[in-house]
Amino acid sequence: MNWFDNITTVISLLGFGYIAYQLFSMHRMESSIIKGKNIPPNLNDFPIHQSSLTEYENSKRKIEVFKNSVLRENFDAQIILDENDINNIYTQGITLNKLIPGKYLFYKIKDSLILEKSIQWPSPGSPKNICFRISEIQFKIDETIEKPIALYKVVEERGIKFHNEASLRSLNQSSLILFIFGGSEQPDSLKKSATVEYQKALAVIEQIQSIKINNGYIHIAIE
């Protein structure tokens, strides 16, 4: 075995050792957190929406009434949502247990924007195997098409703060809006729902002429 083979062997062993250590660390962390011990501060402090099946059904009904009104070509249709409505349809009426491994989201309306907080664990490569992120979502009228568009901006991720410009998205590429109207599986993902539900959501979104955030409420209208 020459020197090159020796170096390759050492590097391979180090690589396997590192992977084994990461797997062991994640398993130990999971076991500890599930038992309610040694919970990292960012997971301990992460807000979880308190919901009920009745609240979920009320929020869902409000959205369905609006969707059906739009699809019936009622051009006076409008809907007013608050952060509880968004969190209700995300949690589907249950109070999630963040001490079970997975990804969790929480929405808060602040001033003229929506804060999207997410935490995922375990997350290999992230500090303490936990990925925490905060994004800001706003809406404005695009003067060229005279329709609202979404502005997305990640302000913090994995403990790093960002000061980047917001990215512009059409409403049908806004994961949150798509999710609210049943077109995506998660509010932070563009992974489509079943074909009929996705196209039904698109049909509603295409008719939206106004989205405004005021005093803790989201006003969506066809006008």
Side-chain angles (χ1 to χ4, degrees):
M1 183 180 291
N2 58 35
W3 65 271
F4 179 79
D5 292 329
N6 289 333
I7 292 175
T8 302
T9 301
V10 170
I11 292 174
S12 297
L13 289 173
L14 288 173
F16 285 126
Y18 176 76
I19 292 172
Y21 172 76
Q22 286 292 313
L23 291 174
F24 172 74
S25 296
M26 284 192 294
H27 175 71
R28 185 174 60 180
M29 180 190 78
E30 284 185 32
S31 299
S32 179
I33 291 176
I34 289 172
K35 295 175 183 176
K37 300 177 180 178
N38 302 317
I39 303 172
N42 54 357
L43 179 60
N44 189 59
D45 296 338
F46 190 84
I48 291 293
H49 181 63
Q50 306 296 309
S51 188
S52 69
L53 188 58
T54 299
E55 290 175 305
Y56 164 64
E57 290 173 343
N58 289 339
S59 296
K60 192 72 175 175
R61 188 179 303 111
K62 185 190 302 186
I63 293 168
E64 287 301 315
V65 168
F66 174 76
K67 287 169 60 176
N68 291 334
S69 183
V70 173
L71 294 174
R72 291 191 185 101
E73 299 185 348
N74 177 359
F75 297 111
D76 293 326
Q78 60 177 314
I79 186 172
I80 299 175
L81 303 172
D82 60 19
E83 60 191 47
N84 288 325
D85 290 314
I86 299 174
N87 288 306
N88 284 338
I89 60 173
Y90 163 62
T91 61
Q92 297 185 29
I94 68 170
T95 299
L96 299 172
N97 181 3
K98 64 184 176 183
L99 301 187
I100 295 176
K103 184 176 185 179
Y104 301 89
L105 299 167
F106 182 81
Y107 291 87
K108 183 174 182 60
I109 297 176
K110 181 181 179 182
D111 301 325
S112 62
L113 55 82
I114 301 170
L115 288 178
E116 178 185 78
K117 296 183 179 182
S118 71
I119 195 163
Q120 182 172 358
W121 75 277
S123 176
S126 299
K128 298 184 178 180
N129 292 316
I130 293 180
C131 181
F132 174 68
R133 184 182 67 194
I134 301 176
S135 300
E136 293 179 352
I137 305 170
Q138 292 180 284
F139 301 96
K140 74 171 188 177
I141 295 295
D142 185 329
E143 300 297 340
T144 58
I145 60 175
E146 297 183 344
K147 282 194 172 185
I149 58 173
L151 293 80
Y152 275 73
K153 180 166 66 173
V154 176
V155 295
E156 183 178 342
E157 186 169 15
R158 293 185 170 95
I160 301 173
K161 296 187 183 297
F162 298 95
H163 303 282
N164 301 327
E165 292 291 326
S167 62
L168 305 180
R169 303 181 189 179
S170 60
L171 287 188
N172 58 19
Q173 290 297 307
S174 164
S175 54
L176 179 58
I177 294 297
L178 199 59
F179 175 77
I180 287 173
F181 294 114
S184 67
E185 295 185 357
Q186 291 291 323
D188 67 334
S189 169
L190 289 173
K191 186 176 180 180
K192 299 175 184 177
S193 300
T195 301
V196 174
E197 289 304 314
Y198 173 69
Q199 293 196 19
K200 188 175 181 180
L202 288 185
V204 172
I205 292 170
E206 286 173 359
Q207 299 301 319
I208 294 175
Q209 298 293 324
S210 173
I211 301 183
K212 298 176 182 177
I213 302 176
N214 290 308
N215 300 319
Y217 294 94
I218 309 170
H219 300 252
I220 303 175
I222 301 304
E223 296 182 347

